[in-house]
Amino acid sequence: MKRRQFLQAATVGAASTAVAAPAIAQSMPEIKWRLQSGFPKSLDTIYGAAEVIAKQVSEATDGKFQIQPFAAGEIVGTPQVADAVGNGTVEMGHTCSYYYFGKDPTFALGTAMPFGFNARQQNAWLYHGGGNDMLNEFFAKFNIYGMPAGNTGTQMGGWFRKEIKTVQDLQGLKMRIAGIAGLVMAKLGVVPQQIPGGDIYPSLERGTIDAAEWVGPYDDEKLGFAKVAPFYYYPGFWEGGPTIHLFINQGKWKELPKNYQAILASAAGYANLDMLAKYDARNPAAIRRLLGAGTQLRPFSQEIMEAAYKAAGEVYEETSAKNADFKKVHDSIRAFRNEEYLWFQVAEYAYDTFMIRARARG
């Protein structure tokens, strides 16, 4: 009797397994995607986020979902990444949305706007202030689904071949600067140039440009800017906490099983946190090395900061009057930013200010 019961139970168990296995297999299909980065491999922080995403996704799916990252220019160049994702040349891109400002100025707001958020505020708006949904409503017009997948923290103001003290010193200065920040600086007399990261050094060395901004000490040291431009300015008021986006072809995103969508979103979220942590960990030693090698650190003057703030307001007003998408996103950012700083001035600013002063005491 016991033997018959055992055989019946075993048969039922085997049948259950036979039904379950195909369902599991269907939910874990083998998928291979290509990811076009907007950055060179030499920048292990910002390019490295694409590798982090690929590794996380592969390990979470037992290798079923494979993503192969390509450095800038290996399939398409940085300026073509958004188009390549939208038209399906590649399934994914990892890039700054403000590089595609020329298509529509609203793209700039996906990364950062001058005098916008710091990194924590940016994430608060994206994840809990409606930012992601608002941007994806816009990105959908270009057949793109986007999610945050990196942040550099507040950037530096860049490298200058000559000292800049007043707004007058900016007149006619040719500067590599991306996105809507170029329009702001143009109002101060700068001639903005949009140049991919890998091409900045030779342009600065040859004198094709007079100044260039990139990210901050860790990356800037790797790119060698200190060799050709001695003055290093701060802060990069145009990028208080810029997001690097993971762009996904909208059709491909919708085809993904729900569990793969969740895994990919988690991987992007991890990359978003990991990149910021890496920059925060590596920038202090890098700026020490740069200063030790002769770099001259300079703050932008109050005159320049005030003039830039005024110019930014003019650009936002002018652009909003012509572009409803831009106005919608910008108005959301401005309102959320002002609320954030209402809070940050109470605890964050007070604490950081005290600790900066106390730092010398050990």
Side-chain angles (χ1 to χ4, degrees):
M1 183 68 180
K2 288 182 180 179
R3 182 172 177 274
R4 283 200 301 273
Q5 289 173 340
F6 174 79
L7 289 173
Q8 286 172 348
T11 302
V12 170
S16 298
T17 303
V19 170
I24 293 171
Q26 287 171 14
S27 68
M28 296 284 283
E30 291 193 6
I31 295 176
K32 292 185 178 181
W33 278 10
R34 299 191 300 173
L35 187 162
Q36 175 61 68
S37 173
F39 311 104
K41 283 184 180 177
S42 59
L43 301 179
D44 58 323
T45 41
I46 200 162
Y47 171 79
E51 296 178 322
V52 166
I53 291 167
K55 182 174 184 289
Q56 293 284 317
V57 168
S58 177
E59 290 182 352
T61 61
D62 291 329
K64 297 286 189 180
F65 188 179
Q66 293 287 330
I67 297 169
Q68 183 177 2
F70 292 85
E74 289 187 340
I75 299 176
V76 298
T78 302
Q80 291 80 43
V81 173
D83 282 341
V85 173
N87 64 30
T89 299
V90 293
E91 290 82 6
M92 310 169 73
H94 185 248
T95 188
C96 295
S97 68
Y98 68 12
Y99 290 155
Y100 314 103
F101 169 82
K103 291 179 170 298
D104 187 305
T106 312
F107 271 105
L109 302 178
T111 302
M113 73 178 202
F115 303 102
F117 297 124
N118 66 26
R120 278 179 53 188
Q121 294 165 352
Q122 176 89 345
N123 283 331
W125 176 70
L126 286 167
Y127 292 124
H128 297 288
N132 270 336
D133 291 340
M134 204 173 297
L135 287 172
N136 273 318
E137 184 180 338
F138 168 73
F139 291 151
K141 297 179 180 182
F142 300 85
N143 201 30
I144 290 169
Y145 182 81
M147 56 182 72
N151 195 301
T152 67
T154 303
Q155 296 192 0
M156 290 293 284
W159 299 84
F160 291 72
R161 293 165 65 92
K162 66 176 185 177
E163 200 165 5
I164 303 295
K165 295 181 179 179
T166 68
V167 173
Q168 185 59 38
D169 293 333
L170 295 170
Q171 300 302 307
L173 184 137
K174 297 187 293 295
M175 181 178 183
R176 184 274 177 192
I177 186 164
I180 202 165
L183 295 184
V184 173
M185 295 302 281
K187 282 184 173 285
L188 305 186
V190 170
V191 181
Q193 311 284 314
Q194 188 154 312
I195 301 171
D199 297 332
I200 298 173
Y201 180 89
S203 298
L204 202 54
E205 183 181 37
R206 290 193 301 265
T208 306
I209 55 176
D210 307 303
E213 59 80 36
W214 178 245
V215 173
Y218 183 72
D219 278 359
D220 292 1
E221 182 186 35
K222 281 177 171 288
L223 293 171
F225 299 145
K227 300 173 186 175
V228 289
F231 297 102
Y232 199 21
Y233 277 84
Y234 67 91
F237 52 80
W238 44 83
E239 293 180 89
T243 293
I244 292 84
H245 264 85
L246 187 64
F247 280 172
I248 307 167
N249 177 276
Q250 199 168 52
K252 291 293 184 181
W253 169 252
K254 290 176 180 177
E255 288 174 6
L256 277 183
K258 291 295 183 184
N259 60 333
Y260 278 16
Q261 287 184 350
I263 287 167
L264 185 52
S266 295
Y270 177 76
N272 195 36
L273 173 66
D274 185 60
M275 183 190 293
L276 182 60
K278 282 176 180 171
Y279 276 119
D280 283 345
R282 295 170 182 177
N283 277 331
I287 200 163
R288 282 182 179 275
R289 290 191 296 267
L290 288 167
L291 296 180
T295 291
Q296 299 185 52
L297 193 61
R298 297 284 191 275
F300 284 125
S301 67
Q302 188 68 16
E303 176 191 336
I304 289 174
M305 294 292 287
E306 292 290 351
Y309 187 84
K310 179 177 181 291
E314 293 171 359
V315 168
Y316 302 145
E317 186 176 341
E318 292 162 3
T319 310
S320 293
K322 298 180 289 186
N323 188 309
D325 288 328
F326 182 93
K327 177 175 170 50
K328 179 180 178 180
V329 179
H330 169 262
D331 287 354
S332 173
I333 290 172
R334 182 175 60 183
F336 198 89
R337 176 202 62 192
N338 291 344
E339 283 296 297
E340 288 292 282
Y341 274 111
L342 177 67
W343 158 239
F344 269 64
Q345 71 181 354
V346 175
E348 297 289 338
Y349 177 77
Y351 178 72
D352 287 346
T353 301
F354 177 82
M355 291 305 298
I356 288 167
R357 290 171 178 166
R359 171 176 159 272
R361 302 202 299 266

